[in-house]
Each structure stands twice: as C-alpha cells, then as structure tokens.
Amino acid sequence: MKNGIYIVATPIGNVSDISARATEILREADIIACEDSRMTKKLLSLLGISSVGKTFIKLEDHTEAKQADKIIELAKQKAVILVSDAGSPLISDPGYKLIRRCREEDVHVCVVPGACALICALQLSGLPTNSFLFSGFIPNKDKARRDLFNKLKDIDATLVFYETANRIIKTLVTAAEIFGNREVAVAREITKVYEECLRGTAKELITHFETKEPRGEMVFMVAPPDDKANNILDVKILLHEELKTNSLKTAVKNLVSRYGLNKNEVYQQALKIKDE
Ligand code: SAM
C-alpha cells in the first residue's frame, strides 16, 4: 500500500456491509488510528483478521490536534488507516483536523467509502433528498436546541441530525414547538435487526414513543418548510376550513391550485375527512 492516510468506513450495524476493499486494507494495515481499539479489534475479529502485530493509535476529538503530528509523521513513511467505532470517519467523528493537516503537508489521503448513518437515514425516510443539511448532534440544553432549530427552520432543505434514544422525546417536544406540523422522521437501528423509520408530525412521534420506549441509535430528520405535500396536518386543517363553505370537489380544486398540491392525495384526504 502507498504511504498516506486511508479513511476507511466500517459498518453501522450489519458487519456484512464492510466493503471488500476495506477488508483488504484492514488486513494489510500495520497502523490503525481509531477511537477505541477494543471496538476496532472486535470488528477485525468478526472479519477474521488478526490484530497481532498491528499498532493502534487512539484518535479522539479532544486530543486530535496533538495526535495529528504523530500520525502525519507515520503516514509519510507508511500506510495509516483511519477508522471510527462505526460508520464513516469525520462525520460527527474525529479526523477532520488530521486530514486538514495532511492537505497542508501534502500527505497522500484516500477514502474507502461505506456506511454513513445520515445517508442511510435519508434514503429510508422518504423525505426530499435533493437538498439536505446535516447538522451533527443536537445540543442537550433546551435553549441551545431551540436556538439551533430556530436558526435552521427556514432553510429550504431536509434537516438531518444525529440523536440518542434518551434525548429524542425532548428533541421532539422542541421540534413540535418550532417546526409545528412539518413532517419529521426518526430512523433507528439502521442495518440492525430492529431497523425502522417512523414518520409523522413531531406530536405524533411523541405519542408513539410515550407508548413504545425509544431505543437504539437514531437519526432525526425534518422535512423542508415548503414540502407542503408532506405537511400532513396542514393539508387537513386547510381542507377542514375549505369544506365548511365548499363542496368536496371545489375544496380540493382550491387547495390544489393555491398550493400546487397533488390532486389525488388531497382528494383522498378530503374523502377521509368527509367519512370522519
Ligand atoms: N460517523 C458515523 C456515521 O456517519 O455513520 C456516525 C458516528 S456518530 C458518533 C454516532 C451517531 O450516528 C449515533 O448517535 C446515531 O445518531 C447515528 N447512528 C450510528 N449508527 C446508527 C444506526 N445503525 N442507526 C441509526 N443511527 C445511527
């Protein structure tokens, strides 16, 4: 292998998602920079690769700048593999400062792509993927979380965040307050046995998690502000208003022409309201 840094993605749940190229590189590697060597050794063992004779260097966010010097010196002479505990390095994981330094010092960098939780979540969600904004982990403090959502709420893109099971309800409460009836989604346990992706308004997902305790790793997403077709409750409210004074046909026609909604979807929604 050529000298330099190899950014290698590892699975986010299902070990079979490792690529053939990543497996080969991990087998050949002498030096692996990782967050937690126990996790990396466990992965190697699952892949049938021995850890004996390999050097593991710990790379964490708070020591990254310091460790970068050592890793860069090694990468000038050998191949150094950069992995995270799971998924794609640098994405809410250490590595950015190291790679920036490599660019400054002309050290060879290459990427061996694979699973990335935010991309998998977007693919599962059914929310628009043409434009999205990933904003990492949601702050735990109420004010910081509210400030962040307020800052992002008018951006014309699907918003994507990393979140943990013990915080998701708090996040959904703030989301209900700031995003109102915009559609949101929670993708959890991606590529694992209990993988699921829930969609609805934040209030609907709060109700869900009140009866079914949130568990596992999760990604939280919010539909773009103009995605009116996905704004389930808004359409319902608008239809209720229209149906007070108009026939079903006129109510549907009015909303379709006013908001550019899908005629069939609005019609089906109107039929449901009439039945209720
Ligand atoms: N760098 C990794 C990536 O992008 O794939 C993410 C690392 S970050 C420290 C860990 C967060 O990613 C978790 O808290 C969760 O929000 C998300 N995540 C990781 N694996 C996941 C999975 N299998 N299902 C859902 N979310 C996951």
Side-chain angles (χ1 to χ4, degrees):
M1 270 191 292
K2 197 171 159 182
N3 301 346
I5 302 275
Y6 293 69
I7 306 168
V8 176
T10 56
I12 56 170
N14 189 327
V15 80
S16 303
D17 292 336
I18 190 94
S19 74
R21 186 170 162 226
T23 308
E24 193 185 311
I25 285 175
L26 286 168
R27 197 184 304 280
E28 272 188 50
D30 290 333
I31 307 170
I32 303 181
C34 56
E35 295 179 89
D36 179 346
S37 60
R38 285 167 306 183
M39 296 286 284
T40 306
K41 283 178 185 169
K42 194 170 155 199
L43 172 69
L44 294 183
S45 150
L46 288 169
L47 297 171
I49 299 173
S50 167
S51 298
V52 178
K54 295 190 191 297
T55 304
F56 295 85
I57 302 173
K58 198 173 178 64
L59 188 71
E60 291 172 304
D61 274 331
H62 60 284
T63 54
E64 190 179 336
K66 212 166 127 202
Q67 288 292 67
D69 289 334
K70 184 173 160 190
I71 295 173
I72 283 174
E73 282 320 303
L74 285 166
K76 285 178 182 167
Q77 299 150 38
K78 293 197 113 189
V80 178
I81 316 307
L82 172 64
V83 292
S84 297
D85 283 348
S88 293
L90 280 83
I91 311 300
S92 290
D93 269 336
Y96 156 72
K97 292 182 198 124
L98 171 67
I99 301 305
R100 195 170 172 79
R101 287 279 315 280
C102 289
R103 292 293 173 209
E104 285 161 8
E105 299 205 20
D106 220 11
V107 171
H108 172 72
V109 177
C110 75
V111 68
V112 182
C116 179
L118 82 97
I119 299 296
C120 297
L122 256 180
Q123 289 168 320
L124 287 171
S125 71
L127 298 180
T129 53
N130 57 323
S131 178
F132 64 87
L133 186 142
F134 172 61
S135 186
F137 278 100
I138 298 170
N140 191 22
K141 296 236 162 68
D142 287 349
K143 184 179 179 313
R145 186 169 52 243
R146 196 169 291 120
D147 288 351
L148 175 68
F149 285 178
N150 269 320
K151 191 175 93 182
L152 301 178
K153 77 171 193 289
D154 294 324
I155 292 174
D156 189 15
T158 296
L159 307 177
V160 187
F161 307 90
Y162 283 161
E163 189 47 293
T164 57
N166 58 335
R167 295 182 189 178
I168 189 69
I169 299 225
K170 274 184 173 183
T171 283
L172 287 166
V173 169
T174 312
E177 192 187 303
I178 289 162
F179 300 115
N181 291 325
R182 259 159 81 170
E183 190 174 30
V184 302
V186 172
R188 54 178 287 275
E189 295 290 88
I190 301 168
T191 76
K192 302 183 194 174
V193 179
Y194 295 107
E195 172 181 294
E196 69 174 353
C197 186
L198 304 157
R199 274 168 51 167
T201 63
K203 278 192 184 146
E204 285 167 343
L205 294 201
I206 293 169
T207 308
H208 170 86
F209 284 125
E210 275 168 356
T211 52
K212 202 157 187 270
E213 191 193 338
R215 282 177 200 273
E217 299 199 273
M218 39 186 72
V219 180
F220 176 62
M221 292 157 280
V222 182
D226 288 331
D227 197 21
K228 293 196 177 69
N230 282 326
N231 209 335
I232 306 161
L233 275 187
D234 270 359
V235 177
K236 265 193 186 170
I237 291 166
L238 292 169
L239 271 172
H240 268 292
E241 280 309 305
E242 282 288 328
L243 288 167
K244 280 181 191 165
T245 49
N246 292 311
S247 68
L248 187 139
K249 204 174 149 195
T250 311
V252 172
K253 195 173 139 216
N254 286 351
L255 289 192
V256 169
S257 63
R258 205 175 300 147
Y259 299 107
L261 299 171
N262 179 300
K263 189 176 171 189
N264 191 36
E265 283 176 19
V266 180
Y267 187 68
Q268 295 304 325
Q269 192 76 257
L271 285 179
K272 268 193 211 156
I273 291 173
K274 276 279 181 197
D275 283 349
E276 284 165 9

